[in-house]
Amino acid sequence: VFNAGVFEYHLASYNTSTINQLTTSMLNEIRVPFPPVKTQQKIADYLDEKCGEIDATIAKQKESIEKLKAYKQSLISETVTKGLDKSAPLKPSGIEWIGDIPAHWEVKRIKELFSFGKGLPISKEDLIENGVPVINYGQIHSKDNNGTSIKDSLIRYVDLNYKNTNMTSLVESGDFIFADTSEDLDGCGNCIYVDSK
C-alpha cells in the first residue's frame, strides 16, 4: 500500500509552503484498504512474481543500455581518431591515448583551435521578461532538455545593460558551453552547442 501511487498522491496533500512534513499523527489518520489475511497473501504473492519479472526485464534493459553506451563511446573515439576511411595509411600521433592517426592528419593543441572564456553568475534579480537571452547552469542541466539543445521555455533574459557590461561572456554560433558541476570529469559532462539560431 505504501508503494502505491494513490498513497503517494494522498501524501501530497500534506505538502506545505515551507517544509513538507508527515507527522505520526498525520500517518495515524490515513485510511488504507485492508482485505482479509488470505487475500493479502495472494496479493503479495502475485506482486512478488510480477514485480520480479519486471525487475528482471529492467535489469536486462539496463545491461543493454550500458553495452550501447560503451559501443557509442567506442564508435566516437574510433571515428574521431582514425577517420572514416579504414584503408587510409596511418602514422604514429606521438600521443599514447590517441595512438595512430591517418597519415594526412595533424595533431594540434586545443588552444590552437579554440579560445576559452568564463561565464558570469546570473541572479534572479538580473532576469527580466524580455531582452537579451542568457544561458545559465540550471538550463543546461535541466531534466527538460534533450541533452543537446535548450528548450525555448527554459530561456531567460537580461537587459541590454547587463550584456554591454559583460561582453566577454557573449557566445556566438559555433561556440560550446560547458557546465562544470564539480572537480571531477563526471560533473562537467554537460555541454551545449550554440547553433545559428
Side-chain angles (χ1 to χ4, degrees), residues 118-147:
K118 288 186 177 181
L120 295 168
I122 301 170
S123 66
K124 289 183 179 179
E125 291 73 27
D126 296 319
L127 301 177
I128 59 175
E129 185 91 14
N130 286 298
V132 180
V134 294
I135 300 170
N136 64 23
Y137 163 90
Q139 293 164 294
I140 294 176
H141 285 274
S142 172
K143 63 182 179 181
D144 294 326
N145 281 329
N146 63 16

Side-chain angles (χ1 to χ4, degrees), residues 11 23 43 62 68 80 87 125 161 163 175 184 196:
L11 291 184
T23 64
I43 289 172
K62 284 183 177 178
L68 286 171
V80 300
S87 64
E125 291 73 27
N161 289 333
K163 170 189 170 183
D175 286 351
D184 58 29
S196 58

Side-chain angles (χ1 to χ4, degrees), residues 106-116:
E106 298 178 70
V107 174
K108 292 190 174 185
R109 294 180 185 275
I110 288 182
K111 68 180 182 180
E112 298 175 56
L113 305 171
F114 298 96
S115 58
F116 295 91

Side-chain angles (χ1 to χ4, degrees), residues 10-11 23 69 73 90 118 138 142 158 171:
H10 189 68
L11 291 184
T23 64
K69 283 182 178 178
Q73 190 61 52
L90 302 176
K118 288 186 177 181
S142 172
V158 293
V171 294

Side-chain angles (χ1 to χ4, degrees), residues 39-191:
T39 304
Q40 291 180 38
Q41 188 59 57
K42 288 180 180 177
I43 289 172
D45 292 343
Y46 173 81
L47 289 177
D48 283 346
E49 179 186 353
K50 293 298 181 183
C51 289
E53 292 173 1
I54 293 170
D55 288 341
T57 301
I58 290 172
K60 288 180 182 177
Q61 292 292 335
K62 284 183 177 178
E63 184 180 350
S64 296
I65 289 170
E66 290 306 312
K67 287 181 179 178
L68 286 171
K69 283 182 178 178
Y71 170 67
K72 175 184 174 182
Q73 190 61 52
S74 172
L75 177 67
I76 292 171
S77 296
E78 179 73 15
T79 305
V80 300
T81 58
K82 303 291 186 286
L84 297 173
D85 183 1
K86 303 302 180 188
S87 64
L90 302 176
K91 67 178 181 182
S93 67
I95 300 169
E96 185 178 347
W97 74 268
I98 296 177
D100 292 342
I101 61 172
H104 61 288
W105 285 23
E106 298 178 70
V107 174
K108 292 190 174 185
R109 294 180 185 275
I110 288 182
K111 68 180 182 180
E112 298 175 56
L113 305 171
F114 298 96
S115 58
F116 295 91
K118 288 186 177 181
L120 295 168
I122 301 170
S123 66
K124 289 183 179 179
E125 291 73 27
D126 296 319
L127 301 177
I128 59 175
E129 185 91 14
N130 286 298
V132 180
V134 294
I135 300 170
N136 64 23
Y137 163 90
Q139 293 164 294
I140 294 176
H141 285 274
S142 172
K143 63 182 179 181
D144 294 326
N145 281 329
N146 63 16
T148 56
S149 62
I150 294 177
K151 288 187 175 181
D152 290 342
S153 60
L154 295 175
I155 297 296
R156 303 293 182 262
Y157 300 92
V158 293
D159 65 30
L160 189 60
N161 289 333
Y162 190 96
K163 170 189 170 183
N164 291 339
T165 56
N166 298 287
M167 297 296 286
T168 57
S169 294
L170 296 179
V171 294
E172 299 176 358
S173 177
D175 286 351
F176 292 93
I177 302 172
F178 289 91
D180 186 5
T181 61
S182 68
E183 295 179 357
D184 58 29
L185 290 177
D186 289 338
C188 60
N190 286 46
C191 171

